[in-house]
Amino acid sequence: MKRISNYIDGQLVAPNSGKYLDNIDPSRGEKYGEIPDSDASDVQAATLAAKTAFPMWSKTSREERSRLLLKIADLIDANHEMLAQAESKDNGKPIKLARKVDIPRASANFRFFATAILHESSEFHRTDISTINYTDKSAIGVAGCISPWNLPLYLFTWKIAPALAAGNTVVAKPSEITPMTAFLLSELCIEAGLPKGVLNIVHGLGQKVGQAISEHPDIPVISFTGGTATGKQIAATAAPMFKKLSLELGGKNPNIIFADCDFEEALNTTVQSSFANQGQICLCGSRIFVERPIYERFRDAFVQKVKQLKVGVPSDEETNLGAVVSEGHMKKVLTYIDLAKQEGGKVLTGGNQVRLQGDYAQGYYLAPTVIEGLDFNCRTNQEEIFGPVVTMMPFDAEEEVIMMANSTQYGLAATVWTQELNKAHRVASALKSGIVWVNCWLLRDLRTPFGGVKNSGVGREGGWDALNFFTEKKNVCIKL
Ligand code: TXE
């Protein structure tokens, strides 16, 4: 039974309350560890440690900050398999996904920002012969970083790395549903020699620990990734305090497939964009629009491939879909499948819980599900399900599919499949989303702006956007 600790002021410590929450292994549906049931007093201790460390850390040279963050990246790589196993067990995702995506991206996040700060420059404006301006960029202070359960270490480090690289100290909260790799990261930070108080990790419930971070007066900047509803709560708390906010929220992403697409490429990638990580990636394409001339051919070929996907034990190399993250989430997804049927949807494959044998009989497994026959503006097609469920709809005209694609409250990502260049640019321009992939999905260049519009969030992560978010700019104007 693995009981993990908070990481505060360089130490692994118990929660002040002495209370713990169960940590469940979703592949077996059973408790396998305990996490601190922390509260505002633990957040206060973490914030004090971060505040105390800030003068030192913000004055540490960028070369030294870079060296330490690169050391952490090296330690993540050196512990790649252990971290991948831990991530797969905690989240339910297939081990091959954790090995290939989650853990390599966690070290890449540290490497990217550790090296970016070595090349950062600022601005100079000459007003006239005797007046010059320079932009002085400095760290803000204690940054609050709150992350979700779907890509635990990947998204946790996506916030922490730029915050630390920019010279801030951090109070971070991983999801209570998947805390393990954040805990293992704290051990690696100690091994790397990260000075005490620079990074603090407080485990526990969102309403207690997350809320305490959002409302703490000494945490002036918050970076959050998670559900739109939670994003609203954090904004409602932080906005009146004039905190700087970055919110990466939900999605209901359209996947638009024109008749002139590269059929095989679109087909194979759509299987991935529909069901990777059990559909628990906010970038997944959950609404598939197919131009009518190829709708039936694509639908039948897609369903055929989906039927071949293996739902299985996450530790099995052959598994394509592991367990969804929790019993509650499994029930939520099943409720949406029932709703889809009530709204007139026809389940072409899946639509059911999957019962494995033996030790895994109580795990949270769902069959990859494809539904057609729904209206584009029914609830199933408007609300985020965040599970292995996609809908398929035919379309006739470009204007029609753009209207349907843009019809939800979300605007995070979209995919467009066409071999006509002008159409690709035209459709990408018309789509209301922060990211558009053309003839690909989830190709990520960390320098690019990442984020959504509408209810998918506020602000952009990645590249200079992330470093600028975690710094304050001051214009100094000098009359010579
Ligand atoms: O979110 P939650 P989840 C979205 C995804 C889905 C959801 C899944 O689309 O909707 O997030 O993640 C903490 N004050 N994205 O269920 O519940 C909570 O403890 C402060 C989009 O985890 O919002 C956890 O640590 N914090 C994203 C974190 O918030 C609170 C990519 C997220 O929890 C809190 C990934 C509160 N009141 C998921 N309540 C993207 N756009 O990139 C909870 N928390």
Side-chain angles (χ1 to χ4, degrees):
M1 193 61 72
K2 176 84 176 169
R3 173 177 276 191
I4 65 174
S5 307
N6 288 331
Y7 172 49
I8 296 177
D9 206 24
Q11 304 290 321
L12 298 177
V13 294
N16 291 335
S17 67
K19 290 193 297 182
Y20 288 83
L21 302 165
D22 291 351
N23 190 17
I24 305 297
D25 169 354
S27 73
R28 297 163 183 260
E30 63 186 24
K31 175 179 175 179
Y32 85 103
E34 291 185 332
I35 88 164
D37 182 8
S38 307
D39 57 34
S41 70
D42 302 292
V43 170
Q44 173 52 30
T47 307
L48 183 60
K51 211 176 156 188
T52 306
F54 176 68
M56 171 278 298
W57 183 247
S58 57
K59 294 189 180 72
T60 299
S61 72
R62 57 186 68 234
E63 290 75 16
E64 176 60 6
R65 293 205 302 262
S66 178
R67 184 191 69 78
L68 279 164
L69 297 184
L70 287 172
K71 176 76 179 150
I72 293 169
D74 289 343
L75 288 170
I76 290 173
D77 290 342
N79 290 277
H80 174 267
E81 183 58 21
M82 179 271 286
L83 290 166
Q85 293 287 348
E87 197 74 292
S88 174
K89 185 175 185 62
D90 217 16
N91 171 276
K93 66 181 69 202
I95 183 64
K96 67 183 175 187
L97 184 67
R99 281 182 184 138
K100 182 166 168 278
V101 174
D102 293 73
I103 306 309
R105 176 62 190 275
S107 71
N109 288 340
F110 275 106
R111 263 182 230 295
F112 179 84
F113 291 106
T115 50
I117 55 171
L118 300 177
H119 307 284
E120 211 177 359
S121 61
S122 189
E123 293 177 297
F124 170 89
H125 300 82
R126 176 178 288 281
T127 306
D128 55 36
I129 189 65
S130 60
T131 311
I132 62 167
N133 300 266
Y134 64 85
T135 303
D136 181 15
K137 292 199 288 190
S138 57
I140 299 174
V142 178
C145 297
I146 302 171
S147 56
W149 48 253
N150 61 323
L151 298 163
L153 195 60
Y154 173 131
L155 289 172
F156 192 62
T157 55
W158 183 231
K159 297 172 180 309
I160 290 170
L164 294 176
N168 304 283
T169 50
V170 170
V171 174
K173 183 211 173 295
S175 173
E176 58 275 28
I177 301 170
T178 53
M180 186 53 70
T181 47
F183 167 70
L184 295 171
L185 178 71
S186 54
E187 294 183 318
L188 297 182
C189 289
I190 293 170
E191 188 179 345
L194 193 68
K196 68 186 180 114
V198 169
L199 171 63
N200 304 274
I201 300 173
V202 184
H203 293 279
L205 300 174
Q207 291 295 347
K208 281 164 65 173
V209 175
Q211 180 64 24
I213 290 172
S214 302
E215 64 191 24
H216 199 293
D218 294 337
I219 301 180
V221 53
I222 307 268
S223 175
F224 169 74
T225 295
T228 294
T230 306
K232 284 180 183 170
Q233 275 191 286
I234 292 173
T237 302
M241 300 174 80
F242 300 107
K243 293 193 177 191
K244 205 170 179 184
L245 268 183
S246 165
L247 302 172
E248 295 296 333
L249 307 176
K252 188 73 177 181
N253 308 314
N255 177 6
I256 302 170
I257 301 168
F258 285 95
D260 69 341
C261 69
D262 174 329
F263 190 91
E264 284 308 310
E265 191 69 23
L267 180 63
N268 293 323
T269 307
T270 295
V271 172
Q272 286 309 312
S273 64
S274 299
F275 300 111
N277 203 40
Q278 299 71 245
Q280 297 167 143
I281 301 176
C282 55
L283 301 169
C284 280
S286 51
R287 295 181 290 147
I288 304 171
F289 298 97
V290 184
E291 199 169 10
R292 199 174 296 278
I294 63 164
Y295 176 77
E296 290 184 3
R297 179 179 161 225
F298 189 92
R299 176 200 61 195
D300 297 347
F302 178 61
V303 168
Q304 201 45 48
K305 279 192 173 289
V306 172
K307 286 180 184 294
Q308 290 158 19
L309 292 174
K310 180 175 187 224
V311 178
V313 175
S315 54
D316 178 348
E317 302 280 344
E318 299 306 307
T319 290
N320 300 112
L321 278 82
V324 294
V325 77
S326 70
E327 186 175 25
H329 192 60
M330 179 176 71
K331 287 177 177 167
K332 171 186 166 185
V333 175
L334 287 168
T335 304
Y336 269 107
I337 293 170
D338 289 342
L339 171 69
K341 292 174 187 168
Q342 289 158 27
E343 293 187 311
K346 181 183 169 202
V347 176
L348 301 175
T349 183
N352 56 283
Q353 183 176 355
V354 174
R355 291 269 183 212
L356 300 187
Q357 301 301 314
D359 294 346
Y360 302 93
Q362 302 307 314
Y364 315 130
Y365 299 93
L366 291 172
T369 300
V370 182
I371 301 168
E372 73 168 353
L374 287 167
D375 200 288
F376 78 92
N377 60 7
C378 71
R379 280 186 57 204
T380 306
N381 274 325
Q382 292 290 312
E383 296 176 19
E384 182 183 53
I385 299 172
F386 211 57
V389 180
V390 296
T391 60
M392 294 190 83
M393 286 155 278
F395 70 89
D396 295 299
E398 187 178 307
E399 296 67 28
E400 177 200 11
V401 73
I402 287 169
M403 177 279 293
M404 294 193 289
N406 288 338
S407 68
T408 71
Q409 59 173 328
Y410 295 102
L412 182 57
T415 37
V416 178
W417 293 92
T418 177
Q419 300 191 78
E420 196 194 311
L421 197 54
N422 285 343
K423 188 192 302 181
H425 287 299
R426 200 171 51 236
V427 173
S429 166
L431 288 170
K432 291 185 174 56
S433 73
I435 302 149
V436 179
W437 279 293
V438 177
N439 299 333
C440 60
W441 178 69
L442 210 61
L443 292 191
R444 290 281 295 115
D445 180 327
L446 303 191
R447 296 169 297 175
T448 58
F450 180 93
V453 297
K454 301 196 282 186
N455 286 13
S456 288
V458 174
R460 291 295 180 269
E461 295 184 297
W464 299 128
D465 288 286
L467 288 173
N468 284 335
F469 173 71
F470 285 113
T471 49
E472 285 300 4
K473 289 184 177 180
K474 179 190 298 173
N475 180 55
V476 179
C477 174
I478 302 177
K479 184 79 175 159
L480 302 175

